[in-house]
Amino acid sequence: MKVRKITWAVTTLLVVGILVLAASPVAAQRKSLEIWHIFTNEHEAAVIERAVERFRADYPDVDVTITVTDNDTYKTKLQVAMAAGTPPDVFNSWGGGWLEAYVDAGMVLPLTEALAKDGWGDIYVPASLELAKFGDDYYAVPLTLAVVVFFYNQQLFDQYGWEPPETWSELLDLVADMRSKGIIPISLANRTKWPGAFYFIYLAHRVGGHEVFLNAYNRVPGYGFDHEAFVRAGELIQELVRAGAFPPGFNGLDHDVGQASALMYSGRAAMHLMGSWFPGQARAEDPEFGQHVGWFPFPRIEGSSADPTEVVAGGDLFSVASTTKHPEEALALLRYITDEQTAADWTRATGRLPAVIGTPIDDPMTADLMAYLENAGYMQLYYDQFLPPELGELHKDTTQAIFGGTMTPLEAARAMEAKAKELLD
Amino acid sequence: MRSAVARRRSAQWMAYAFLLPALAVYLTFVVGPILVSMYYSLFDWSGVSPRATYVGLQNFARLMGDRVFWKAVGNNLELMLLSILTQMPFALALALLITKGLRGMRFFRTAYFVPHMVPTVAIGILWIYIYDPTMGLLNNLLGELGLWRWQRGWLGEEATALYAVVGTMAWQFIPFYMILFQAALVGIPQELYEAASIDGATGTKAFRYITLPLLKGTIRTAVVLSLVGSLKYFDLIYIMTMGGPNHASELMATYMFKTAFNQFRMGYGSAVAVMSFLIAFVVSSTLLYFTQFRRED
């Protein structure tokens, strides 16, 4: 019986203790903000940390918690938090259909008014704000931009006397020559599907221009995702696959564990179609290789009337959740992590492109890429981010199947159009 | 003085009271979500939007005609069969070896068990590198042996992706079943073998007439574990192939994850979850029914 009495006493004590703790007023008046981002790279995370540090100095009454999550995990994690109605105050986003799903759900704070005040909105490259414009409102501001181009191993090119190709047929000739030298022409790890999707987007735009895609998306009569430009893009992909441009088993290689970049670093592959974050990543992961990276634009297609300066691009943006308890502070934090000072710090530390106009860029290749992006005839956001998620996923699935030869370009285009009819009409 | 009956009754209540927390956890995190998924599966809902449209059984009607889902069901069944066929015999063979009492067996037992102690994600990434078509261990080994023709993009080809992961799964799970069988083997009294050897039954005969019958219960348990595990399998497929390429290695669980989280179709994803639950439930309860039936005779 004694044991029992002790048990009861302990239990009662614990329960009372918990109740007292729960009822006591929370350590008064401090505000807290939570920010989630995906920059797992230490240089990148440090830039955000420094920006938040500046914010903390100016807002001593606000506690800021930073949570860093890897890209794919982040998307799931955020979705669960959103569904539970408790998203972080400030969060990483990419614009496009992905963000629009949350905007439609009323979970994202419109920034239009704040951007109009004292010229905040004017500091960014205009096209980058458009990534997150739905209706008449803006829902995110950009930290960084990325443009997709071909990167290449300059040492290999010098050794064999190769020149960056300007047209599709020059690319095919180059591929054939590289094959004959035992070099894998283009590195590609397509398990995650988006690296292969770059080819589809570029080719569709080199064949038909961006109007074809926009008109298909806006359901303009006479256009659709089964338009001949999309079919042709698929055919050209298969032409490249048949030419042996890619490493064996590329559809099963994992980009996220570095199977594509490893081929580049080791000199087994010569070219890599990737976002402009690649050189910075290469310098961090393999400094020796990082010094010999060159780039060239996606080749134009002979006989096509489409503007060959259109680019595939995207950016990392930040949004504020509409559920935030401290909108004023959250907006201020948003500004600190995307302002001129952060942009300059970001570019210096990571070699990635800034989204703020006039940011000083020391590195010549970064400056080159920035100029290329600024002079682009049109900036096309990655389809999978632009389109509603379900259609975006199908676009990646079908493109991977085109690469693998298990779907004909026409079948893929028809599947896309059928889904588009269902979702967009 | 209280009667013995009253004391026993109070002890019973105490036992129930101690069961309550576990029950609450079970109801909240297992039964609850299953019921909620069933409810969600009746809606067209993105998972984040406040708008959810009631659509009745439409999601299920759609599921019936969803080629990818049926492909996934087929893959799950194939995975189930292959897991049992690859893991059980190997595990049993290894268990027999390590119970032979040969010198240094302690080392082998530990070494063989190591794969099961490595986290699944690490195993997945390790094997991604082993299967790497250009720089991977497997293809290079085949090359050294002169078997160029056998080289493949193991995870990247629709014909081999699922089997490549089955191989990795075997590597991960054989040690577990090996330990299970070893424990059962140790429990078989030596006298039986001695008696049998007097009667002239040694080697394979002893195995056939003593070891195997006495292992029946353990084998049955192992098969049930493997079967249920295969029906709800997710991790290595998600890590190594993401169900690809082109759904060649898609499983019910990975498809559910993709529809609910990547495509923002929580309603449809819930329908996939409910169907997978029903399929797993029917298959495993059928099996349990038959194994119980056997135990009685």
Side-chain angles (χ1 to χ4, degrees):
Chain A
M1 286 304 110
K2 214 170 191 181
V3 174
R4 199 129 151 235
K5 264 185 195 147
I6 293 172
T7 313
W8 275 115
V10 170
T11 313
T12 317
L13 214 78
L14 281 176
V15 169
V16 169
I18 288 168
L19 288 178
V20 167
L21 280 178
S24 67
V26 181
Q29 273 87 35
R30 287 198 63 83
K31 297 170 183 167
S32 65
L33 286 178
E34 217 181 314
I35 172 171
W36 286 7
H37 69 75
I38 60 155
F39 305 113
T40 45
N41 173 309
E42 57 174 318
H43 300 295
E44 298 173 1
V47 175
I48 304 290
E49 185 67 53
R50 286 194 284 272
V52 170
E53 213 42 65
R54 276 195 294 132
F55 173 84
R56 282 184 185 127
D58 294 350
Y59 291 80
D61 60 329
V62 184
D63 291 322
V64 184
T65 323
I66 308 175
T67 306
V68 192
T69 320
D70 149 71
N71 178 42
D72 287 306
T73 322
Y74 171 80
K75 290 178 182 164
T76 312
K77 188 173 160 164
L78 186 74
Q79 192 180 348
V80 172
M82 284 280 185
T86 53
D89 304 275
V90 179
F91 61 96
N92 218 152
S93 71
W94 298 271
W98 180 86
L99 183 61
E100 198 174 8
Y102 294 120
V103 170
D104 284 346
M107 297 301 289
V108 190
L109 201 70
L111 304 173
T112 322
E113 208 176 302
L115 284 170
K117 227 181 286 169
D118 61 79
W120 182 15
D122 300 335
I123 66 168
Y124 303 111
V125 175
S128 62
L129 280 177
E130 299 298 315
L131 297 175
K133 185 181 184 189
F134 308 106
D136 294 325
D137 280 313
Y138 297 97
Y139 289 91
V141 290
L143 165 68
T144 178
L145 293 173
V147 58
V148 176
V149 296
F150 269 108
F151 292 97
Y152 68 94
N153 182 331
Q154 278 175 331
Q155 276 185 322
L156 281 181
F157 270 58
D158 289 347
Q159 186 184 338
Y160 292 106
W162 292 323
E163 291 290 331
E166 281 173 23
T167 66
W168 185 252
S169 52
E170 282 178 28
L171 178 69
L172 287 176
D173 290 345
L174 187 59
V175 162
D177 196 31
M178 288 171 167
R179 292 269 300 171
S180 72
K181 305 283 195 306
I183 303 279
I184 296 167
I186 307 175
S187 187
L188 171 67
N190 202 30
R191 197 198 78 179
T192 28
K193 302 176 216 167
W194 54 262
F198 289 163
Y199 290 84
F200 185 84
I201 310 170
Y202 255 126
L203 287 167
H205 286 238
R206 289 287 184 270
V207 171
H210 69 275
E211 297 87 355
V212 173
F213 175 73
L214 273 187
N215 289 344
Y217 174 70
N218 292 321
R219 311 312 288 156
V220 174
Y223 288 89
F225 288 93
D226 53 357
H227 188 275
E228 59 182 30
F230 297 116
V231 180
R232 185 78 192 121
E235 288 167 0
L236 291 170
I237 285 176
Q238 292 190 332
E239 189 178 341
L240 206 54
V241 173
R242 274 196 304 272
F246 302 110
F250 58 82
N251 262 349
L253 298 184
D254 188 352
H255 189 89
D256 295 336
V257 301
Q259 285 186 298
S261 35
L263 288 173
M264 289 299 290
Y265 300 161
S266 63
R268 311 269 305 243
M271 301 181 279
H272 190 29
L273 183 67
M274 196 34 61
S276 47
W277 57 81
F278 178 71
Q281 178 200 330
R283 268 180 296 227
E285 292 174 354
D286 188 340
E288 161 71 23
F289 170 83
Q291 295 177 344
H292 311 291
V293 182
W295 71 277
F296 59 88
F298 195 93
R300 62 189 165 79
I301 290 169
E302 292 92 337
S304 158
S305 57
D307 177 1
T309 69
E310 291 190 358
V311 295
V312 175
D316 275 292
L317 295 80
F318 279 91
S319 301
V320 174
S322 58
T323 51
T324 178
K325 287 196 194 75
H326 314 290
E328 198 182 315
E329 286 78 8
L331 282 171
L333 177 60
L334 186 68
R335 185 153 185 179
Y336 275 81
I337 56 174
T338 57
D339 65 5
E340 294 92 333
Q341 205 174 327
T342 307
D345 188 16
W346 174 262
T347 302
R348 204 179 316 113
T350 69
R352 292 177 63 171
L353 307 183
V356 171
I357 301 167
T359 303
I361 303 178
D362 303 330
D363 178 58
M365 182 156 65
T366 312
D368 262 11
L369 285 165
M370 191 67 198
Y372 177 65
L373 179 61
E374 282 173 337
N375 295 322
Y378 186 80
M379 197 173 131
Q380 175 61 52
L381 179 62
Y382 321 119
Y383 286 178
D384 63 319
Q385 286 182 8
F386 183 95
L387 295 169
E390 198 181 339
L391 194 57
E393 289 299 315
L394 184 71
H395 146 69
K396 286 191 289 184
D397 280 342
T398 51
T399 306
Q400 194 195 32
I402 289 173
F403 267 96
T406 47
M407 225 180 196
T408 69
L410 192 60
E411 282 166 359
R414 285 189 178 142
M416 278 296 285
E417 178 60 15
K419 183 63 84 182
K421 275 210 177 86
E422 189 187 315
L423 294 172
L424 301 174
D425 273 350
Chain B
M1 186 166 169
R2 294 205 292 172
S3 74
V5 175
R7 208 177 303 146
R8 197 176 328 131
R9 195 163 290 160
S10 109
Q12 262 174 10
W13 280 114
M14 208 56 177
Y16 280 125
F18 278 111
L19 278 175
L20 271 181
L23 183 70
V25 170
Y26 177 70
L27 287 178
T28 316
F29 294 106
V30 179
V31 179
I34 291 175
L35 294 177
V36 171
S37 296
M38 286 180 179
Y39 175 70
Y40 286 157
S41 70
L42 304 175
F43 290 85
D44 180 10
W45 182 45
S46 71
V48 284
S49 166
R51 287 185 311 275
T53 329
Y54 179 77
V55 293
L57 293 175
Q58 227 168 344
N59 281 332
F60 290 95
R62 223 175 137 174
L63 200 55
M64 292 301 127
D66 187 336
R67 275 188 318 124
V68 180
F69 177 71
W70 292 110
K71 169 94 189 153
V73 174
N75 281 343
N76 263 110
L77 295 177
E78 199 173 342
L79 187 77
M80 183 179 95
L81 261 168
L82 289 174
S83 297
I84 293 173
L85 290 179
T86 52
Q87 293 167 18
M88 299 303 135
F90 265 106
L92 187 54
L94 284 179
L96 285 169
L97 275 177
I98 61 171
T99 44
K100 275 277 179 265
L102 297 178
R103 192 192 287 232
M105 270 308 146
R106 197 181 287 252
F107 166 75
F108 285 107
R109 190 169 52 206
T110 315
Y112 287 154
F113 193 64
V114 165
H116 197 66
M117 303 194 301
V118 180
T120 310
V121 174
I123 291 182
I125 292 174
L126 174 72
W127 281 81
I128 285 176
Y129 286 122
I130 291 178
Y131 287 134
D132 185 303
T134 315
M135 302 192 275
L137 187 67
L138 183 57
N139 270 359
N140 278 320
L141 191 72
L142 290 172
E144 294 293 325
L145 294 173
L147 299 169
W148 304 101
R149 294 241 219 107
W150 290 18
Q151 292 184 338
R152 292 272 177 292
W154 299 99
L155 294 168
E157 289 173 25
E158 293 186 21
T160 52
L162 184 66
Y163 306 113
V165 181
V166 166
T168 308
M169 279 176 71
W171 190 77
Q172 183 184 18
F173 285 108
I174 284 174
F176 171 72
Y177 295 115
M178 175 189 81
I179 294 294
L180 205 66
F181 289 140
Q182 187 215 354
L185 284 172
V186 170
I188 299 177
Q190 275 305 312
E191 295 81 20
L192 289 178
Y193 291 104
E194 284 161 16
S197 83
I198 292 167
D199 291 343
T202 51
T204 46
K205 252 193 186 150
F207 176 74
R208 168 72 183 79
Y209 291 105
I210 300 173
T211 317
L212 218 46
L214 286 173
L215 276 183
K216 219 177 201 175
T218 312
I219 293 177
R220 203 177 285 152
T221 311
V223 167
V224 171
L225 277 178
S226 170
L227 182 131
V228 174
S230 315
L231 283 176
K232 57 171 199 192
Y233 201 70
F234 178 80
D235 0 7
L236 276 178
I237 290 282
Y238 181 75
I239 297 160
M240 295 175 68
T241 68
M242 285 215 163
N246 197 23
H247 306 294
S249 59
E250 199 76 77
L251 299 180
M252 293 187 284
T254 54
Y255 190 53
M256 182 265 289
F257 185 86
K258 280 184 192 172
T259 47
F261 293 106
N262 293 354
Q263 303 181 356
F264 284 61
R265 296 158 77 196
M266 193 55 86
Y268 192 65
S270 300
V272 174
V274 170
M275 270 308 276
S276 332
F277 170 75
L278 288 178
I279 291 172
F281 185 75
V282 168
V283 173
S284 39
S285 45
T286 312
L287 185 92
L288 282 176
Y289 174 78
F290 279 113
T291 53
Q292 222 134 41
F293 191 71
R294 282 233 193 96
R295 198 168 297 158
E296 279 161 15
D297 58 37

